[in-house]
Amino acid sequence: MTLSPEDKTIILDSIRDIPDFPKPGIVFKDITTLLSNATAFKTLMDHLTERYLGYELDYIAGIDARGFIFGSVLADRLGIGFVPVRKKGKLPYTTVAEKYSLEYGFDEVEIHIDAFGENGCCTTGEPSKVLLIDDLMATGGTAKAAVNLIDKVGAHCVEACFIMELAFLNGKEGFSAPVYSVLEIE
């Protein structure tokens, strides 16, 4: 299921561009205006709910921190659990970590070892079906690490969903899960 042109316009028009942030030459996509626009936020969440109702998901995993917003609302609407994918050192229990490359060095994300049930399995004993969500995909490094984490604990990432994708950065390349982007920015 894809977004209608009218709904796409509602959502896209609610996102503010901030030129030269965080450094010259970058146009930052500010979603705080999407979040504060009740019509646009409801349009987005209605679309995501409709898209994922038939997926029979067990969990939504959201990437720190804006993925927490969209992921927790969607998990509530679908009646399933939400799992935070956090930056290293932010979770209090035993974790599993995955490193990923940055322009200058590495970073890490973590989840609790039992985030998706024992050995990543739901109550049926099958691998838990997980949707990964975040606000933006640029190069895809963080999201690819999060997909690897989901797989590492025995669950299955059925799709990675992004509110926006900076398509010109080719972040979709190398994903081990299908990718869905609500908005693609060329």
Side-chain angles (χ1 to χ4, degrees):
M1 154 169 213
T2 56
L3 200 59
S4 74
E6 297 81 19
D7 288 348
K8 185 179 273 190
T9 298
I10 290 169
I11 295 167
L12 193 57
D13 287 352
S14 74
I15 298 168
R16 177 173 39 206
D17 286 347
I18 309 291
D20 298 319
F21 183 84
K23 60 185 182 180
I26 303 285
V27 178
F28 184 81
K29 299 294 186 182
D30 180 12
I31 64 153
T32 62
T33 49
L34 165 64
L35 299 172
S36 67
N37 180 323
T39 301
F41 188 69
K42 182 178 182 327
T43 299
L44 172 65
M45 296 313 302
D46 286 350
H47 168 67
L48 293 176
T49 302
E50 187 176 338
R51 178 177 175 82
Y52 291 110
L53 264 175
Y55 276 58
E56 299 180 3
L57 298 166
D58 298 302
Y59 296 94
I60 305 286
I63 297 176
D64 199 344
R66 292 176 295 268
F68 295 178
I69 299 165
F70 303 107
S72 60
V73 173
L74 184 58
D76 178 69
R77 283 180 169 214
L78 296 177
I80 60 176
F82 173 77
V83 173
V85 178
R86 299 289 323 257
K87 294 173 182 149
K88 185 166 178 59
K90 300 290 185 183
L91 292 170
Y93 186 63
T94 305
T95 61
V96 176
E98 183 78 17
K99 285 186 178 181
Y100 60 97
S101 297
L102 297 170
E103 190 174 344
Y104 299 103
F106 294 92
D107 208 347
E108 282 185 82
V109 288
E110 297 179 320
I111 57 173
H112 282 136
I113 196 164
D114 59 354
F116 306 112
E118 188 175 332
N119 298 318
C121 296
C122 60
T123 56
T124 65
E126 296 293 317
S128 294
K129 293 186 224 168
V130 180
L131 172 72
L132 178 68
I133 193 166
D134 203 7
D135 68 323
L136 178 76
M137 178 173 53
T139 62
T142 307
K144 289 172 191 167
V147 169
N148 289 344
L149 272 178
I150 292 165
D151 293 342
K152 195 183 278 189
V153 296
H156 173 63
C157 183
V158 299
E159 191 163 87
C161 173
F162 303 93
I163 309 310
M164 289 180 291
E165 173 191 351
L166 302 180
F168 59 91
L169 294 176
N170 301 315
K172 277 185 186 176
E173 291 178 9
F175 259 89
S176 60
V179 173
Y180 172 67
S181 301
V182 177
L183 303 170
E184 290 187 6
I185 311 298
E186 297 296 330

